[in-house]
Amino acid sequence: MAFMAACTTGMAQRPPQTTGYNRYVNPFIGTGAVDKNSLSGSNFPGACTPFGLVQLGPDTRDNPNDPASGYDYNDTTIVGFSHTHLSGTGVADLFDFLFMPYTGDITWNATPENGHKGFRSAFTHEQEKAVPGYYSVQLLAHKTLAELTATAHCGVHRYTFPQQEQGRVMVDLDHSLDKKRPYWECKVISAHLEVVNDHTIEGYRVITGWSRLRKVYFRAVFSKPFAARQLREGGQVINNGEVANGRSVKAVFSFAPSNAPLLVKVGISAVSAEGARSNLAAEVKDFDFDATAQAAANSWSKELGVMDAEGTDEQKTILYTGLYHLFTQPNNLADADSSYAGTDYTVRKAVDGAHYSTFSLWDTYRAAHPLYTLVQQGRTAGFINSMIRQYETYGYLPVWQLWGDETYCMIGNHAIPVIADAFRKGIAGIDYAKAYEAAKASSLRNHPGSPFHLLEQYKYFPEDKQSQSVSLTLEIAYDDWCVAQMALQMGKKEDYQFFLNRSTYYRNLYDQQTGFFRGKNSQGEWLPFNPLTYGGNGGSPFTEGNGWQYFWYVPQDVPDLIKLVGGDKAFVNKLDTFFTHNAKPEDVNGNASGFIGQYAHGNEPSHHVIYLYNYAGEPWKAQQYAAQVMQQQYNGKSSGYSGNEDCGQMSAWYIFSAMGFYPVNPANGIYALGSPQLSKAVIKGLNGKNFTVVAEGAGGKNCYIQRVTLNGKPYNKTYITHSDIVNGGTLVFTMGEKPNKKWGVAADSRPPLEEVR
């Protein structure tokens, strides 16, 4: 595999020692599709530390757009290395402060047509390497080895130029997502680069894009003095200049020929120039690249040690890379001294030491955040405290927060189930009175995507008043159920009744005649409907899905959904059709991939549906389809995901499912059983105890549960509870090639509405 390749040009790549859990991580998983009909995963393969601010890595596009990470495994050239990236998202942003080492003349307007190679360079995967905390690549056009590592707030570069040849470094403050993309205007509002001394530069940029306003600061210190420098703003070039200001600021720094590598250490801050200086001083005190890379590797090995897994090498690679992706974000925006910029742009201090952002909540509330409650309990508190801070300065909880700014991307307010789940599981370190206040307020105040006055007036969202009306009605009904459960547990009976009642409004869009949830107008009239027709992010009743995929979205009350359909048999028949009914190409949009019939694993609305067979008495079908997805739609290569990885959600689905269970309702403490693929998995450190899952004979055609024991006793339920897990113990599956249609079919074996406490 390419991630194990060595440099063959005589310039030795020197990665940190890769042992323990790190040896199973392949950062190239999910970085490139293998054909035009699949999504890339959009993962970032560069250097970072767990939940750190800096993600330092390669960009293969001048103006990144798709994939959103800026890197596509199928590309053949690199334009440079920027210090901030998104990993696995469907939309691009960040790409701050691009550095590119090169050799040759300074040619600002180089193009292939005029014969100048400029800054861009060809590369091959055989001369590229990535392990946790380290990335390197041979830049073929410049005969230069670039190596990267990172701390939480800093990036460290090591460039080995050809001996006796002058090396240069281009610094680009204008590099960004595609400024011509149609969704929103991206532009650099202001940028500044200043030469502090003969080996130090500082700067910042203020930029608008997906995040409406970002301020980013940096300080870069080089291990050698500049022999010459050239600053550029727009078309104006300043030889040996001191300062450049404007919207298109770039610079080239030249260095005398040397046999020793050039190192650059770069501190980043989302707060201030002083913050960038302080972060650099706190985290990278010298130019010991190898020590920094090893420290980054050690931080990953410690973080990944929350689980022990046994299985095939590929299974362990998928699982530990999944944990790696899961722990790449949310990102701590606070400086090393805990300062952070609030949504009101004032500088504040995080009393718990961290302030997180990059909350892809429409994706991650489903499985990523429930997994965090098992393997990242302390950080779960930090995530929620950071969400509450947005409420305090902005008026409601995050929808999709990026760089501390609310983007309003996607629908619903799925910080609410994250909070409700943590509350009901007893995660410590959170002011739950304030958290409930935030959840309630966010469920009542109108903001983009949540016009609650319409819900109160019509008891559903009318499509002629609010686009994405069916998806909104269904998803907000679930959020309301979560608020209701918090209210009940807190003794707020009036609130409980209000939100519980509103959580049933999905029924008002169920059409008995067609057997689907479908759009209505404000006159109560059904709209024209085809359950195969996809919606995107507006202009349709459905969000990134169709009527088939959204039919199953009542996770708070699956028994009621079964009743709406007409009982178990009708429900199973509909599920069977869902997994076998193929759409025509013209029915499918770019958000759908990873198909099994209408099930589309490449996007989140389908993720829980496999496990619904457990609720209707045919759990062996959940086992069959869960195994099919894991075996066919995940792998250890660049094409390892069937859709965008979405900040850990795609990984979390696999991690849960490979252990044999999944949270259909992410906030009720119930996990539906499926088809474990790992021979053994241990979740460690749960209240000082371990929870062990053993799957005898698992893998391949042995996808069906024959029998189960929990702590040595026969177990016939098709679910386990959160208490079962955190109290420690051992769950043993015996797997076989044929379904056992007697196991788990009794009515009392089905998952209940919530965990009994």
PDB file of all heavy atoms in Angstrom, residues 362 410 463 467-469 471 530-550 586-592 603 605:
ATOM      1  N   TRP A 362     -25.403  17.574  11.728  1.00  0.00           N
ATOM      2  CA  TRP A 362     -26.402  16.800  10.978  1.00  0.00           C
ATOM      3  C   TRP A 362     -25.883  15.404  10.672  1.00  0.00           C
ATOM      4  O   TRP A 362     -26.645  14.450  10.591  1.00  0.00           O
ATOM      5  CB  TRP A 362     -26.742  17.533   9.678  1.00  0.00           C
ATOM      6  CG  TRP A 362     -27.843  16.914   8.880  1.00  0.00           C
ATOM      7  CD1 TRP A 362     -29.196  17.061   9.070  1.00  0.00           C
ATOM      8  CD2 TRP A 362     -27.706  16.047   7.736  1.00  0.00           C
ATOM      9  NE1 TRP A 362     -29.895  16.344   8.122  1.00  0.00           N
ATOM     10  CE2 TRP A 362     -29.004  15.723   7.289  1.00  0.00           C
ATOM     11  CE3 TRP A 362     -26.611  15.530   7.044  1.00  0.00           C
ATOM     12  CZ2 TRP A 362     -29.242  14.904   6.182  1.00  0.00           C
ATOM     13  CZ3 TRP A 362     -26.839  14.712   5.946  1.00  0.00           C
ATOM     14  CH2 TRP A 362     -28.146  14.407   5.524  1.00  0.00           C
ATOM     15  N   MET A 410     -27.248  22.645   6.552  1.00  0.00           N
ATOM     16  CA  MET A 410     -28.135  21.531   6.877  1.00  0.00           C
ATOM     17  C   MET A 410     -29.309  21.999   7.747  1.00  0.00           C
ATOM     18  O   MET A 410     -29.524  23.200   7.913  1.00  0.00           O
ATOM     19  CB  MET A 410     -27.364  20.380   7.521  1.00  0.00           C
ATOM     20  CG  MET A 410     -26.178  19.901   6.696  1.00  0.00           C
ATOM     21  SD  MET A 410     -26.517  19.586   4.935  1.00  0.00           S
ATOM     22  CE  MET A 410     -27.670  18.229   5.037  1.00  0.00           C
ATOM     23  N   GLU A 463     -44.584  23.117   2.510  1.00  0.00           N
ATOM     24  CA  GLU A 463     -43.511  23.297   1.538  1.00  0.00           C
ATOM     25  C   GLU A 463     -43.578  24.657   0.864  1.00  0.00           C
ATOM     26  O   GLU A 463     -42.541  25.213   0.494  1.00  0.00           O
ATOM     27  CB  GLU A 463     -43.564  22.179   0.491  1.00  0.00           C
ATOM     28  CG  GLU A 463     -42.486  22.236  -0.561  1.00  0.00           C
ATOM     29  CD  GLU A 463     -41.071  22.022  -0.036  1.00  0.00           C
ATOM     30  OE1 GLU A 463     -40.913  21.472   1.080  1.00  0.00           O
ATOM     31  OE2 GLU A 463     -40.108  22.407  -0.737  1.00  0.00           O
ATOM     32  N   SER A 467     -39.027  25.429   2.493  1.00  0.00           N
ATOM     33  CA  SER A 467     -38.448  24.339   1.721  1.00  0.00           C
ATOM     34  C   SER A 467     -37.851  23.271   2.634  1.00  0.00           C
ATOM     35  O   SER A 467     -37.593  23.514   3.806  1.00  0.00           O
ATOM     36  CB  SER A 467     -37.367  24.902   0.790  1.00  0.00           C
ATOM     37  OG  SER A 467     -36.839  23.898  -0.044  1.00  0.00           O
ATOM     38  N   GLN A 468     -37.643  22.064   2.081  1.00  0.00           N
ATOM     39  CA  GLN A 468     -37.152  20.894   2.822  1.00  0.00           C
ATOM     40  C   GLN A 468     -38.121  20.515   3.937  1.00  0.00           C
ATOM     41  O   GLN A 468     -37.732  20.050   5.006  1.00  0.00           O
ATOM     42  CB  GLN A 468     -35.742  21.139   3.370  1.00  0.00           C
ATOM     43  CG  GLN A 468     -34.732  21.559   2.314  1.00  0.00           C
ATOM     44  CD  GLN A 468     -33.374  21.908   2.877  1.00  0.00           C
ATOM     45  OE1 GLN A 468     -32.587  21.023   3.220  1.00  0.00           O
ATOM     46  NE2 GLN A 468     -33.092  23.214   2.973  1.00  0.00           N
ATOM     47  N   SER A 469     -39.407  20.706   3.660  1.00  0.00           N
ATOM     48  CA  SER A 469     -40.433  20.669   4.698  1.00  0.00           C
ATOM     49  C   SER A 469     -40.599  19.295   5.342  1.00  0.00           C
ATOM     50  O   SER A 469     -40.797  19.205   6.563  1.00  0.00           O
ATOM     51  CB  SER A 469     -41.767  21.124   4.107  1.00  0.00           C
ATOM     52  OG  SER A 469     -42.131  20.295   3.007  1.00  0.00           O
ATOM     53  N   SER A 471     -38.355  16.737   5.497  1.00  0.00           N
ATOM     54  CA  SER A 471     -37.162  16.425   6.294  1.00  0.00           C
ATOM     55  C   SER A 471     -37.121  17.256   7.565  1.00  0.00           C
ATOM     56  O   SER A 471     -36.772  16.755   8.644  1.00  0.00           O
ATOM     57  CB  SER A 471     -35.904  16.658   5.456  1.00  0.00           C
ATOM     58  OG  SER A 471     -35.849  15.758   4.365  1.00  0.00           O
ATOM     59  N   ASN A 530     -43.106  11.696  -5.954  1.00  0.00           N
ATOM     60  CA  ASN A 530     -42.477  10.471  -6.441  1.00  0.00           C
ATOM     61  C   ASN A 530     -41.437  10.094  -5.397  1.00  0.00           C
ATOM     62  O   ASN A 530     -40.482  10.844  -5.174  1.00  0.00           O
ATOM     63  CB  ASN A 530     -41.817  10.697  -7.803  1.00  0.00           C
ATOM     64  CG  ASN A 530     -41.105   9.471  -8.326  1.00  0.00           C
ATOM     65  OD1 ASN A 530     -40.930   8.479  -7.613  1.00  0.00           O
ATOM     66  ND2 ASN A 530     -40.670   9.523  -9.573  1.00  0.00           N
ATOM     67  N   PRO A 531     -41.583   8.967  -4.731  1.00  0.00           N
ATOM     68  CA  PRO A 531     -40.657   8.637  -3.634  1.00  0.00           C
ATOM     69  C   PRO A 531     -39.223   8.426  -4.085  1.00  0.00           C
ATOM     70  O   PRO A 531     -38.325   8.366  -3.236  1.00  0.00           O
ATOM     71  CB  PRO A 531     -41.242   7.354  -3.044  1.00  0.00           C
ATOM     72  CG  PRO A 531     -42.041   6.757  -4.155  1.00  0.00           C
ATOM     73  CD  PRO A 531     -42.594   7.911  -4.926  1.00  0.00           C
ATOM     74  N   LEU A 532     -38.978   8.331  -5.396  1.00  0.00           N
ATOM     75  CA  LEU A 532     -37.628   8.149  -5.907  1.00  0.00           C
ATOM     76  C   LEU A 532     -36.932   9.468  -6.214  1.00  0.00           C
ATOM     77  O   LEU A 532     -35.723   9.491  -6.465  1.00  0.00           O
ATOM     78  CB  LEU A 532     -37.650   7.293  -7.177  1.00  0.00           C
ATOM     79  CG  LEU A 532     -38.100   5.848  -7.001  1.00  0.00           C
ATOM     80  CD1 LEU A 532     -38.198   5.170  -8.359  1.00  0.00           C
ATOM     81  CD2 LEU A 532     -37.146   5.081  -6.100  1.00  0.00           C
ATOM     82  N   THR A 533     -37.666  10.570  -6.203  1.00  0.00           N
ATOM     83  CA  THR A 533     -37.096  11.858  -6.584  1.00  0.00           C
ATOM     84  C   THR A 533     -36.303  12.462  -5.432  1.00  0.00           C
ATOM     85  O   THR A 533     -36.816  12.617  -4.324  1.00  0.00           O
ATOM     86  CB  THR A 533     -38.204  12.830  -7.019  1.00  0.00           C
ATOM     87  OG1 THR A 533     -38.906  12.261  -8.123  1.00  0.00           O
ATOM     88  CG2 THR A 533     -37.604  14.171  -7.445  1.00  0.00           C
ATOM     89  N   TYR A 534     -35.073  12.809  -5.721  1.00  0.00           N
ATOM     90  CA  TYR A 534     -34.178  13.335  -4.700  1.00  0.00           C
ATOM     91  C   TYR A 534     -34.332  14.835  -4.518  1.00  0.00           C
ATOM     92  O   TYR A 534     -34.601  15.571  -5.470  1.00  0.00           O
ATOM     93  CB  TYR A 534     -32.710  13.051  -5.071  1.00  0.00           C
ATOM     94  CG  TYR A 534     -32.243  11.703  -4.623  1.00  0.00           C
ATOM     95  CD1 TYR A 534     -32.657  10.558  -5.290  1.00  0.00           C
ATOM     96  CD2 TYR A 534     -31.408  11.558  -3.521  1.00  0.00           C
ATOM     97  CE1 TYR A 534     -32.255   9.308  -4.878  1.00  0.00           C
ATOM     98  CE2 TYR A 534     -31.000  10.303  -3.106  1.00  0.00           C
ATOM     99  CZ  TYR A 534     -31.423   9.189  -3.785  1.00  0.00           C
ATOM    100  OH  TYR A 534     -31.018   7.946  -3.370  1.00  0.00           O
ATOM    101  N   GLY A 535     -34.098  15.265  -3.283  1.00  0.00           N
ATOM    102  CA  GLY A 535     -33.911  16.670  -2.980  1.00  0.00           C
ATOM    103  C   GLY A 535     -32.476  16.923  -2.605  1.00  0.00           C
ATOM    104  O   GLY A 535     -31.741  16.002  -2.219  1.00  0.00           O
ATOM    105  N   GLY A 536     -32.060  18.166  -2.701  1.00  0.00           N
ATOM    106  CA  GLY A 536     -30.713  18.540  -2.300  1.00  0.00           C
ATOM    107  C   GLY A 536     -30.756  19.316  -1.005  1.00  0.00           C
ATOM    108  O   GLY A 536     -31.076  18.793   0.060  1.00  0.00           O
ATOM    109  N   ASN A 537     -30.456  20.599  -1.077  1.00  0.00           N
ATOM    110  CA  ASN A 537     -30.469  21.464   0.108  1.00  0.00           C
ATOM    111  C   ASN A 537     -31.379  22.660  -0.133  1.00  0.00           C
ATOM    112  O   ASN A 537     -31.061  23.785   0.204  1.00  0.00           O
ATOM    113  CB  ASN A 537     -29.047  21.906   0.447  1.00  0.00           C
ATOM    114  CG  ASN A 537     -28.144  20.730   0.758  1.00  0.00           C
ATOM    115  OD1 ASN A 537     -27.409  20.263  -0.095  1.00  0.00           O
ATOM    116  ND2 ASN A 537     -28.225  20.212   1.972  1.00  0.00           N
ATOM    117  N   GLY A 538     -32.532  22.383  -0.695  1.00  0.00           N
ATOM    118  CA  GLY A 538     -33.517  23.416  -0.976  1.00  0.00           C
ATOM    119  C   GLY A 538     -34.235  23.116  -2.280  1.00  0.00           C
ATOM    120  O   GLY A 538     -33.709  22.432  -3.157  1.00  0.00           O
ATOM    121  N   GLY A 539     -35.489  23.593  -2.375  1.00  0.00           N
ATOM    122  CA  GLY A 539     -36.260  23.392  -3.590  1.00  0.00           C
ATOM    123  C   GLY A 539     -36.990  22.070  -3.648  1.00  0.00           C
ATOM    124  O   GLY A 539     -37.543  21.703  -4.687  1.00  0.00           O
ATOM    125  N   SER A 540     -37.002  21.334  -2.558  1.00  0.00           N
ATOM    126  CA  SER A 540     -37.654  20.029  -2.490  1.00  0.00           C
ATOM    127  C   SER A 540     -38.078  19.779  -1.052  1.00  0.00           C
ATOM    128  O   SER A 540     -37.489  20.334  -0.124  1.00  0.00           O
ATOM    129  CB  SER A 540     -36.683  18.933  -2.944  1.00  0.00           C
ATOM    130  OG  SER A 540     -37.152  17.651  -2.568  1.00  0.00           O
ATOM    131  N   PRO A 541     -39.093  18.941  -0.836  1.00  0.00           N
ATOM    132  CA  PRO A 541     -39.457  18.595   0.539  1.00  0.00           C
ATOM    133  C   PRO A 541     -38.400  17.770   1.267  1.00  0.00           C
ATOM    134  O   PRO A 541     -38.465  17.647   2.492  1.00  0.00           O
ATOM    135  CB  PRO A 541     -40.748  17.787   0.373  1.00  0.00           C
ATOM    136  CG  PRO A 541     -41.299  18.186  -0.951  1.00  0.00           C
ATOM    137  CD  PRO A 541     -40.086  18.436  -1.811  1.00  0.00           C
ATOM    138  N   PHE A 542     -37.421  17.211   0.515  1.00  0.00           N
ATOM    139  CA  PHE A 542     -36.457  16.304   1.120  1.00  0.00           C
ATOM    140  C   PHE A 542     -35.046  16.868   1.040  1.00  0.00           C
ATOM    141  O   PHE A 542     -34.666  17.503   0.061  1.00  0.00           O
ATOM    142  CB  PHE A 542     -36.525  14.929   0.455  1.00  0.00           C
ATOM    143  CG  PHE A 542     -37.860  14.262   0.605  1.00  0.00           C
ATOM    144  CD1 PHE A 542     -38.786  14.306  -0.427  1.00  0.00           C
ATOM    145  CD2 PHE A 542     -38.206  13.636   1.794  1.00  0.00           C
ATOM    146  CE1 PHE A 542     -40.036  13.712  -0.285  1.00  0.00           C
ATOM    147  CE2 PHE A 542     -39.446  13.039   1.949  1.00  0.00           C
ATOM    148  CZ  PHE A 542     -40.367  13.081   0.913  1.00  0.00           C
ATOM    149  N   THR A 543     -34.262  16.598   2.090  1.00  0.00           N
ATOM    150  CA  THR A 543     -32.893  17.084   2.202  1.00  0.00           C
ATOM    151  C   THR A 543     -31.908  15.950   1.915  1.00  0.00           C
ATOM    152  O   THR A 543     -31.862  14.959   2.654  1.00  0.00           O
ATOM    153  CB  THR A 543     -32.632  17.618   3.622  1.00  0.00           C
ATOM    154  OG1 THR A 543     -33.568  18.660   3.899  1.00  0.00           O
ATOM    155  CG2 THR A 543     -31.207  18.162   3.748  1.00  0.00           C
ATOM    156  N   GLU A 544     -31.143  16.087   0.852  1.00  0.00           N
ATOM    157  CA  GLU A 544     -30.118  15.097   0.514  1.00  0.00           C
ATOM    158  C   GLU A 544     -30.656  13.673   0.596  1.00  0.00           C
ATOM    159  O   GLU A 544     -30.026  12.772   1.148  1.00  0.00           O
ATOM    160  CB  GLU A 544     -28.882  15.276   1.401  1.00  0.00           C
ATOM    161  CG  GLU A 544     -28.175  16.593   1.159  1.00  0.00           C
ATOM    162  CD  GLU A 544     -26.817  16.691   1.816  1.00  0.00           C
ATOM    163  OE1 GLU A 544     -26.339  15.671   2.357  1.00  0.00           O
ATOM    164  OE2 GLU A 544     -26.218  17.773   1.775  1.00  0.00           O
ATOM    165  N   GLY A 545     -31.826  13.481   0.042  1.00  0.00           N
ATOM    166  CA  GLY A 545     -32.432  12.163   0.050  1.00  0.00           C
ATOM    167  C   GLY A 545     -33.760  12.206  -0.678  1.00  0.00           C
ATOM    168  O   GLY A 545     -34.131  13.205  -1.296  1.00  0.00           O
ATOM    169  N   ASN A 546     -34.493  11.096  -0.583  1.00  0.00           N
ATOM    170  CA  ASN A 546     -35.794  11.029  -1.237  1.00  0.00           C
ATOM    171  C   ASN A 546     -36.828  10.487  -0.264  1.00  0.00           C
ATOM    172  O   ASN A 546     -36.547  10.266   0.923  1.00  0.00           O
ATOM    173  CB  ASN A 546     -35.719  10.191  -2.518  1.00  0.00           C
ATOM    174  CG  ASN A 546     -35.338   8.731  -2.260  1.00  0.00           C
ATOM    175  OD1 ASN A 546     -35.424   8.224  -1.136  1.00  0.00           O
ATOM    176  ND2 ASN A 546     -34.913   8.039  -3.315  1.00  0.00           N
ATOM    177  N   GLY A 547     -38.040  10.269  -0.766  1.00  0.00           N
ATOM    178  CA  GLY A 547     -39.120   9.799   0.087  1.00  0.00           C
ATOM    179  C   GLY A 547     -38.870   8.430   0.674  1.00  0.00           C
ATOM    180  O   GLY A 547     -39.276   8.140   1.811  1.00  0.00           O
ATOM    181  N   TRP A 548     -38.189   7.567  -0.060  1.00  0.00           N
ATOM    182  CA  TRP A 548     -37.858   6.255   0.463  1.00  0.00           C
ATOM    183  C   TRP A 548     -36.898   6.372   1.640  1.00  0.00           C
ATOM    184  O   TRP A 548     -37.096   5.727   2.685  1.00  0.00           O
ATOM    185  CB  TRP A 548     -37.209   5.406  -0.633  1.00  0.00           C
ATOM    186  CG  TRP A 548     -38.161   4.548  -1.411  1.00  0.00           C
ATOM    187  CD1 TRP A 548     -38.545   4.686  -2.713  1.00  0.00           C
ATOM    188  CD2 TRP A 548     -38.867   3.400  -0.916  1.00  0.00           C
ATOM    189  NE1 TRP A 548     -39.439   3.708  -3.064  1.00  0.00           N
ATOM    190  CE2 TRP A 548     -39.651   2.890  -1.975  1.00  0.00           C
ATOM    191  CE3 TRP A 548     -38.903   2.753   0.322  1.00  0.00           C
ATOM    192  CZ2 TRP A 548     -40.457   1.772  -1.836  1.00  0.00           C
ATOM    193  CZ3 TRP A 548     -39.709   1.641   0.463  1.00  0.00           C
ATOM    194  CH2 TRP A 548     -40.477   1.154  -0.606  1.00  0.00           C
ATOM    195  N   GLN A 549     -35.856   7.158   1.490  1.00  0.00           N
ATOM    196  CA  GLN A 549     -34.832   7.229   2.543  1.00  0.00           C
ATOM    197  C   GLN A 549     -35.339   7.936   3.789  1.00  0.00           C
ATOM    198  O   GLN A 549     -34.965   7.574   4.913  1.00  0.00           O
ATOM    199  CB  GLN A 549     -33.581   7.902   1.979  1.00  0.00           C
ATOM    200  CG  GLN A 549     -32.838   6.991   1.017  1.00  0.00           C
ATOM    201  CD  GLN A 549     -32.135   7.723  -0.084  1.00  0.00           C
ATOM    202  OE1 GLN A 549     -31.971   8.934  -0.038  1.00  0.00           O
ATOM    203  NE2 GLN A 549     -31.713   6.984  -1.106  1.00  0.00           N
ATOM    204  N   TYR A 550     -36.207   8.931   3.615  1.00  0.00           N
ATOM    205  CA  TYR A 550     -36.716   9.652   4.789  1.00  0.00           C
ATOM    206  C   TYR A 550     -37.914   8.968   5.427  1.00  0.00           C
ATOM    207  O   TYR A 550     -38.334   9.353   6.521  1.00  0.00           O
ATOM    208  CB  TYR A 550     -37.038  11.103   4.433  1.00  0.00           C
ATOM    209  CG  TYR A 550     -35.916  12.030   4.845  1.00  0.00           C
ATOM    210  CD1 TYR A 550     -34.937  12.416   3.947  1.00  0.00           C
ATOM    211  CD2 TYR A 550     -35.810  12.465   6.160  1.00  0.00           C
ATOM    212  CE1 TYR A 550     -33.890  13.232   4.336  1.00  0.00           C
ATOM    213  CE2 TYR A 550     -34.774  13.297   6.562  1.00  0.00           C
ATOM    214  CZ  TYR A 550     -33.814  13.669   5.644  1.00  0.00           C
ATOM    215  OH  TYR A 550     -32.777  14.464   6.048  1.00  0.00           O
ATOM    216  N   GLU A 586     -31.336   8.944 -13.469  1.00  0.00           N
ATOM    217  CA  GLU A 586     -31.818  10.332 -13.463  1.00  0.00           C
ATOM    218  C   GLU A 586     -32.500  10.713 -12.158  1.00  0.00           C
ATOM    219  O   GLU A 586     -32.734  11.887 -11.883  1.00  0.00           O
ATOM    220  CB  GLU A 586     -32.782  10.565 -14.631  1.00  0.00           C
ATOM    221  CG  GLU A 586     -34.016   9.677 -14.622  1.00  0.00           C
ATOM    222  CD  GLU A 586     -33.838   8.408 -15.463  1.00  0.00           C
ATOM    223  OE1 GLU A 586     -32.677   7.974 -15.654  1.00  0.00           O
ATOM    224  OE2 GLU A 586     -34.858   7.866 -15.927  1.00  0.00           O
ATOM    225  N   ASP A 587     -32.820   9.718 -11.328  1.00  0.00           N
ATOM    226  CA  ASP A 587     -33.464  10.017 -10.046  1.00  0.00           C
ATOM    227  C   ASP A 587     -32.463  10.401  -8.956  1.00  0.00           C
ATOM    228  O   ASP A 587     -32.842  10.914  -7.912  1.00  0.00           O
ATOM    229  CB  ASP A 587     -34.260   8.796  -9.556  1.00  0.00           C
ATOM    230  CG  ASP A 587     -35.481   8.514 -10.402  1.00  0.00           C
ATOM    231  OD1 ASP A 587     -36.106   9.478 -10.869  1.00  0.00           O
ATOM    232  OD2 ASP A 587     -35.789   7.332 -10.604  1.00  0.00           O
ATOM    233  N   VAL A 588     -31.198  10.116  -9.166  1.00  0.00           N
ATOM    234  CA  VAL A 588     -30.192  10.202  -8.110  1.00  0.00           C
ATOM    235  C   VAL A 588     -29.388  11.492  -8.246  1.00  0.00           C
ATOM    236  O   VAL A 588     -29.024  11.892  -9.358  1.00  0.00           O
ATOM    237  CB  VAL A 588     -29.246   8.991  -8.169  1.00  0.00           C
ATOM    238  CG1 VAL A 588     -28.183   9.074  -7.082  1.00  0.00           C
ATOM    239  CG2 VAL A 588     -30.047   7.702  -8.030  1.00  0.00           C
ATOM    240  N   ASN A 589     -29.105  12.145  -7.121  1.00  0.00           N
ATOM    241  CA  ASN A 589     -28.256  13.333  -7.167  1.00  0.00           C
ATOM    242  C   ASN A 589     -26.889  13.038  -6.563  1.00  0.00           C
ATOM    243  O   ASN A 589     -26.595  11.922  -6.137  1.00  0.00           O
ATOM    244  CB  ASN A 589     -28.924  14.539  -6.494  1.00  0.00           C
ATOM    245  CG  ASN A 589     -29.006  14.416  -4.978  1.00  0.00           C
ATOM    246  OD1 ASN A 589     -28.458  13.507  -4.366  1.00  0.00           O
ATOM    247  ND2 ASN A 589     -29.705  15.349  -4.354  1.00  0.00           N
ATOM    248  N   GLY A 590     -26.037  14.061  -6.516  1.00  0.00           N
ATOM    249  CA  GLY A 590     -24.649  13.868  -6.113  1.00  0.00           C
ATOM    250  C   GLY A 590     -24.445  13.544  -4.655  1.00  0.00           C
ATOM    251  O   GLY A 590     -23.326  13.216  -4.247  1.00  0.00           O
ATOM    252  N   ASN A 591     -25.498  13.624  -3.842  1.00  0.00           N
ATOM    253  CA  ASN A 591     -25.349  13.300  -2.427  1.00  0.00           C
ATOM    254  C   ASN A 591     -25.613  11.827  -2.135  1.00  0.00           C
ATOM    255  O   ASN A 591     -25.564  11.420  -0.978  1.00  0.00           O
ATOM    256  CB  ASN A 591     -26.329  14.149  -1.596  1.00  0.00           C
ATOM    257  CG  ASN A 591     -25.894  15.594  -1.515  1.00  0.00           C
ATOM    258  OD1 ASN A 591     -24.790  15.880  -1.102  1.00  0.00           O
ATOM    259  ND2 ASN A 591     -26.756  16.501  -1.924  1.00  0.00           N
ATOM    260  N   ALA A 592     -25.925  11.052  -3.163  1.00  0.00           N
ATOM    261  CA  ALA A 592     -26.317   9.671  -2.939  1.00  0.00           C
ATOM    262  C   ALA A 592     -25.292   8.725  -3.548  1.00  0.00           C
ATOM    263  O   ALA A 592     -24.902   8.872  -4.699  1.00  0.00           O
ATOM    264  CB  ALA A 592     -27.695   9.411  -3.543  1.00  0.00           C
ATOM    265  N   ASN A 603     -24.560   8.488   2.434  1.00  0.00           N
ATOM    266  CA  ASN A 603     -25.065   9.689   3.105  1.00  0.00           C
ATOM    267  C   ASN A 603     -25.905   9.284   4.309  1.00  0.00           C
ATOM    268  O   ASN A 603     -26.436   8.171   4.380  1.00  0.00           O
ATOM    269  CB  ASN A 603     -25.856  10.571   2.141  1.00  0.00           C
ATOM    270  CG  ASN A 603     -25.833  12.034   2.557  1.00  0.00           C
ATOM    271  OD1 ASN A 603     -25.084  12.450   3.435  1.00  0.00           O
ATOM    272  ND2 ASN A 603     -26.666  12.837   1.908  1.00  0.00           N
ATOM    273  N   PRO A 605     -28.910   9.935   5.965  1.00  0.00           N
ATOM    274  CA  PRO A 605     -30.302   9.554   6.256  1.00  0.00           C
ATOM    275  C   PRO A 605     -30.565   8.059   6.285  1.00  0.00           C
ATOM    276  O   PRO A 605     -31.502   7.605   6.941  1.00  0.00           O
ATOM    277  CB  PRO A 605     -31.078  10.239   5.121  1.00  0.00           C
ATOM    278  CG  PRO A 605     -30.279  11.455   4.806  1.00  0.00           C
ATOM    279  CD  PRO A 605     -28.846  10.998   4.938  1.00  0.00           C
TER     280      PRO A 605
END
